[in-house]
Amino acid sequence: MAVIRDVMPAFQLYQPSSVADAQKLLEQNGHDALALAGGLDSMDWLKDRIRKPNVVVDLGGVDELKGIRETADGLEIGAMTTLTEVAQSPVIRQKYGVLAQAAELVASPQIRNQGTIGGNLSQDTRCWYYRAGWPCYRAGGNICYADTPVGRNREHAILHAERCVAVNPSDTAPACIALDAKLVVLTPKGQQAIAAEDYFVGPDLDITRMNILRPGYLLTTIRIPSKWANAGFYFEKVRDRNVWDFPLMNVASAMQVSGDTIQDIRIAVNAVAARPLRLRMVEDSVRGKPRNAATGEAAGKLAVQGAVPLQFNGYKIPLMRNLVKRAITGVEEAAWAS
Ligand SMILES: Cc1cc2nc3c(=O)[nH]c(=O)nc-3n(C[C@H](O)[C@H](O)[C@H](O)COP(=O)(O)OP(=O)(O)OC[C@H]3O[C@@H](n4cnc5c(N)ncnc54)[C@H](O)[C@@H]3O)c2cc1C
Ligand code: SF4
């Protein structure tokens, strides 16, 4: 389908200065409204004229949605806090380093200065067929252009695909899952605090959405509990170029170790499925085991059970196996700490 790239269609722009007004505007305008955070994802859709909302609600003037606060039980990060602020925050770097590292590896400094953590967690998939306006399953059609013998699917899914093989591209999402973050969302029915892993939606549940946000919903806060503060962390992102590039895959883990024994762990990978995956079977299999190469090796093998490669992304299976292994054994930790 041809994409017309001329001026954006007109819309009414609202610039609320409070959470209450922002949520009211989103609720009143329902399907007609788009929440605008940093605009790095949203503006593409508008400029390509693929999304044509009548109303845009710019969250940039809502100060309540910005900033990082320590609380009795951890940390609260406003959804409109920039990725640069997250990456540079002394408390995040000191206590929840896996999130600082994930934010620091997003794209380029300019994108991190403009992009927000709420937008990064809520961004759409980058599948180029879909983003170019092709009428695929995710766009309401009846075909997946990526999952054909000649489809360009090097970056696509190896797990949990159902009709759509697109992946979630967020770097901060697996770090939030590893930290057991709760995402606070205002809905027309009230406030919900949703576990980070449940914020994301796969095509089995709804092929048209990447997360639980519906018209009228506003993500306000990311809450990080203190349970995993100062744990042993691991984050690794693999990408084609070491700047300005989405992950081919990333992994995040938080681990509590006593002596050599893994007492507790949370581990998540992204860019292998339409939603970031918490690897519960891996967590269960390594708890109580020594933190060593053998445990990591077995965990990596378990992680890729059931993976199905497409024509051009077979490399993702050994990549995932090795990233999970390294997230258990922690070979790169020293480099980040220095
Ligand atoms: C060239 C390029 C390279 C990139 N590379 C990477 C990368 O390597 N890793 C990575 O993780 N990301 C990458 N990104 C994504 C980028 O980091 C942004 O974080 C992301 O696109 C969206 O953030 P934003 O604040 O601009 O949100 P927007 O684009 O404004 O919003 C994104 C979506 O979230 C919704 N939304 C945002 N905030 C809220 C809220 N508070 N409540 C309800 N809905 C909300 C919007 O309605 C929209 O649907 C890249 C982007 C570009 C353009
Ligand atoms: S992978 Fe998903 S988004 Fe991409 S063409 Fe197929 S159905 Fe569309």
Side-chain angles (χ1 to χ4, degrees):
M1 173 183 277
V3 177
I4 306 164
R5 290 193 172 82
D6 57 7
V7 292
M8 280 190 264
F11 49 74
Q12 292 177 60
L13 177 66
Y14 288 93
Q15 296 182 304
S17 56
S18 71
V19 165
D21 284 350
Q23 207 254 326
K24 200 161 130 195
L25 283 162
L26 289 170
E27 191 178 334
Q28 277 171 350
N29 292 285
H31 282 281
D32 278 343
L34 175 80
L36 183 69
L40 289 156
D41 187 2
S42 306
M43 294 306 274
D44 278 358
W45 292 111
L46 300 179
K47 287 192 285 186
D48 288 344
R49 298 173 70 94
I50 297 170
R51 293 202 181 140
K52 299 174 189 169
N54 291 320
V55 168
V56 171
V57 180
D58 175 6
L59 303 174
V62 185
D63 289 342
E64 293 163 77
L65 292 175
K66 297 175 187 169
I68 297 160
R69 296 167 289 278
E70 282 198 84
T71 63
D73 181 40
L75 208 61
E76 286 195 350
I77 308 173
M80 286 296 289
T81 308
T82 66
L83 293 164
T84 298
E85 289 171 272
V86 171
Q88 294 180 355
S89 156
V91 61
I92 297 181
R93 290 181 77 84
Q94 193 192 340
K95 292 186 177 172
Y96 308 97
V98 68
L99 180 58
Q101 200 180 0
E104 196 161 60
L105 288 173
V106 170
S108 64
Q110 293 87 344
I111 289 169
R112 294 193 293 273
N113 287 343
Q114 177 70 16
T116 64
I117 184 150
N120 189 264
L121 292 168
S122 310
Q123 63 181 304
D124 212 335
T125 182
R126 304 303 298 189
C127 173
W128 35 81
Y129 298 103
Y130 169 67
R131 300 218 47 128
W134 292 41
C136 65
Y137 283 129
R138 189 169 283 280
N142 62 0
I143 184 173
C144 172
Y145 298 95
D147 191 9
T148 65
V150 290
R152 310 307 296 172
N153 52 36
R154 184 173 161 269
E155 283 81 357
H156 287 68
I158 52 170
L159 281 160
H160 302 291
E162 196 175 296
R163 291 179 294 154
C164 175
V165 294
V167 296
N168 182 301
S170 169
D171 279 317
T172 60
C176 286
I177 293 173
L179 289 170
D180 198 10
K182 299 278 181 301
L183 273 51
V184 182
V185 177
L186 286 182
T187 80
K189 290 186 180 160
Q191 180 175 295
Q192 295 178 9
I194 297 151
E197 65 199 274
D198 298 329
Y199 183 72
F200 303 95
V201 170
D204 51 337
L205 206 62
D206 186 343
I207 203 167
T208 64
R209 290 187 291 157
M210 301 293 285
N211 53 56
I212 56 107
L213 296 179
R214 290 181 180 279
Y217 283 35
L218 178 68
L219 172 63
T220 62
T221 315
I222 293 91
R223 284 188 191 146
I224 314 274
S226 55
K227 172 169 183 201
W228 293 93
N230 302 313
F233 295 125
Y234 188 89
F235 185 85
E236 188 173 351
K237 168 179 180 173
V238 174
R239 50 187 161 174
D240 280 327
R241 299 170 301 164
N242 269 339
V243 69
W244 197 1
D245 221 346
F246 287 93
L248 292 168
M249 199 178 295
N250 57 29
V251 67
S253 67
M255 201 186 303
Q256 286 163 348
V257 180
S258 173
D260 273 351
T261 306
I262 299 170
Q263 297 292 332
D264 204 357
I265 181 171
R266 290 177 65 95
I267 179 167
V269 286
N270 206 5
V272 298
R275 59 187 172 84
L277 299 181
R278 179 177 170 198
L279 303 178
R280 282 175 183 271
M281 275 170 57
V282 168
E283 293 172 4
D284 292 344
S285 77
V286 303
R287 251 182 233 112
K289 297 255 173 66
R291 187 188 189 190
N292 60 23
T295 302
E297 194 82 48
K301 284 186 186 149
L302 185 63
V304 298
Q305 271 183 14
V308 180
L310 302 163
Q311 181 89 341
F312 298 110
N313 71 357
Y315 74 94
K316 281 200 172 187
I317 294 180
L319 179 58
M320 181 170 169
R321 199 168 57 226
N322 281 310
L323 285 187
V324 168
K325 177 182 170 185
R326 295 209 284 268
I328 306 279
T329 52
V331 288
E332 285 206 340
E333 240 174 21
W336 164 247
S338 62

